[in-house]
Amino acid sequence: MKLLIIEDNLKIADYLKKGLTESGYTIDLAHDGVDGLHYALSADYDLLILDIMLPKLDGLAILQAVRHANKEMPILLLSARDQVADRVNGLEMGADDYLVKPFDFSELLARIRTLLRRSLQHVSESSMMKIDDLELDSKKRYAMRAGRRIDLTAKEFSLLELLMYRQGEVLSRSLIASQVWDMNFDSDTNVIDVAMRRLRAKVDDDFAKKLLHTIRGMGYVLEDRG
């Protein structure tokens, strides 16, 4: 998943980029409000991490501009301002969460995961997801292929839901672990690979066209290769 960080403190910005990259996210970084707004409006991001006190253009002005442009990505505000009125103001202007500096990285990561899961749920509940003859209904909680119901466990369903939502994108094991299992990926465990084998057995094994693919050294992708 692709995140945008707009933060003028170089030490904090580098710390966030390093930690979030290691957690499986793709990061774009801007150090002032003007560049940050250009990034936010020019590309599609899954989440925006936005400092309030920025040079050239402050974070609240960016927040207003992003929402005015009908960009619906979750926005997490970062600020040293810890008054209730500041938090309420930020949330009422359209932010989805507000985290006071200094913060612990584990709390930031947990909030990001929560916002991304909420965003995924909102998108998936609004419509049926489909690729080739594979269909998934997140609201009614069922999956079918070629008109035949697929019996999935709760984790298998969440895994397929993530893959379908991000169809065509290669998802790393660390990203899958954070989004489906809510944990940091441990290279010594094969839980992701085992889950993918079980899901592939249910989704692909009985069909000539394969939709789940392993990208060696990178992760997994769900796509129709024709």
Side-chain angles (χ1 to χ4, degrees), residues 181-224:
W181 278 267
D182 197 21
M183 68 179 189
N184 292 324
F185 179 66
D186 183 349
S187 60
D188 293 330
T189 182
N190 65 346
V191 62
I192 309 298
D193 300 313
V194 170
M196 287 300 305
R197 284 198 297 270
R198 290 175 177 169
L199 183 61
R200 182 178 280 120
K202 296 180 178 183
V203 169
D204 271 349
D205 281 4
D206 293 338
F207 301 90
K209 180 184 284 189
K210 309 305 179 186
L211 298 175
L212 282 167
H213 308 279
T214 302
I215 309 300
R216 189 176 298 276
M218 298 178 65
Y220 298 95
V221 61
L222 178 75
E223 65 180 353
D224 181 358

Side-chain angles (χ1 to χ4, degrees), residues 153-192:
T153 66
K155 286 298 182 187
E156 289 168 350
F157 188 92
S158 296
L159 178 55
L160 181 59
E161 183 180 38
L162 175 64
L163 287 161
M164 291 195 72
Y165 177 57
R166 310 298 300 189
Q167 59 184 270
E169 298 182 31
V170 179
L171 305 184
S172 67
R173 290 171 175 81
S174 58
L175 188 146
I176 293 171
S178 69
Q179 291 300 299
V180 179
W181 278 267
D182 197 21
M183 68 179 189
N184 292 324
F185 179 66
D186 183 349
S187 60
D188 293 330
T189 182
N190 65 346
V191 62
I192 309 298

Side-chain angles (χ1 to χ4, degrees), residues 5-53:
I5 300 171
I6 307 177
E7 168 62 65
D8 66 316
N9 185 303
L10 300 183
K11 184 176 180 180
I12 294 176
D14 290 342
Y15 168 71
L16 291 176
K17 183 174 182 179
K18 181 175 184 296
L20 292 172
T21 299
E22 290 175 351
S23 298
Y25 300 102
T26 299
I27 303 297
D28 280 346
L29 183 60
H31 295 300
D32 67 63
V34 172
D35 285 346
L37 181 59
H38 175 74
Y39 273 100
L41 298 181
S42 301
D44 291 326
Y45 294 96
D46 295 289
L47 185 138
L48 168 59
I49 299 173
L50 178 61
D51 185 24
I52 290 181
M53 299 297 293

Side-chain angles (χ1 to χ4, degrees), residues 74-193:
I75 297 177
L76 170 60
L77 290 178
L78 299 180
S79 178
R81 300 174 179 174
D82 60 357
Q83 298 299 308
V84 172
D86 294 317
R87 297 196 296 271
V88 170
N89 185 45
L91 295 171
E92 287 186 341
M93 289 179 66
D96 297 274
D97 201 355
Y98 190 110
L99 186 59
V100 176
K101 298 177 181 180
F103 53 83
D104 187 87
F105 182 77
S106 61
E107 181 181 2
L108 173 71
L109 192 58
R111 290 179 183 235
I112 289 172
R113 289 170 177 169
T114 297
L115 290 172
L116 290 173
R117 280 197 299 270
R118 190 184 304 161
S119 178
L120 171 61
Q121 182 181 18
H122 171 73
V123 172
S124 61
E125 283 184 352
S126 65
S127 64
M128 171 83 73
M129 290 187 285
K130 183 175 182 179
I131 177 171
D132 194 60
D133 57 355
L134 176 63
E135 300 179 355
L136 182 143
D137 190 321
S138 291
K139 193 170 184 179
K140 296 181 179 178
R141 307 296 292 178
Y142 74 81
M144 300 179 70
R145 184 155 190 195
R148 187 170 70 189
R149 188 76 170 251
I150 303 173
D151 184 23
L152 299 172
T153 66
K155 286 298 182 187
E156 289 168 350
F157 188 92
S158 296
L159 178 55
L160 181 59
E161 183 180 38
L162 175 64
L163 287 161
M164 291 195 72
Y165 177 57
R166 310 298 300 189
Q167 59 184 270
E169 298 182 31
V170 179
L171 305 184
S172 67
R173 290 171 175 81
S174 58
L175 188 146
I176 293 171
S178 69
Q179 291 300 299
V180 179
W181 278 267
D182 197 21
M183 68 179 189
N184 292 324
F185 179 66
D186 183 349
S187 60
D188 293 330
T189 182
N190 65 346
V191 62
I192 309 298
D193 300 313

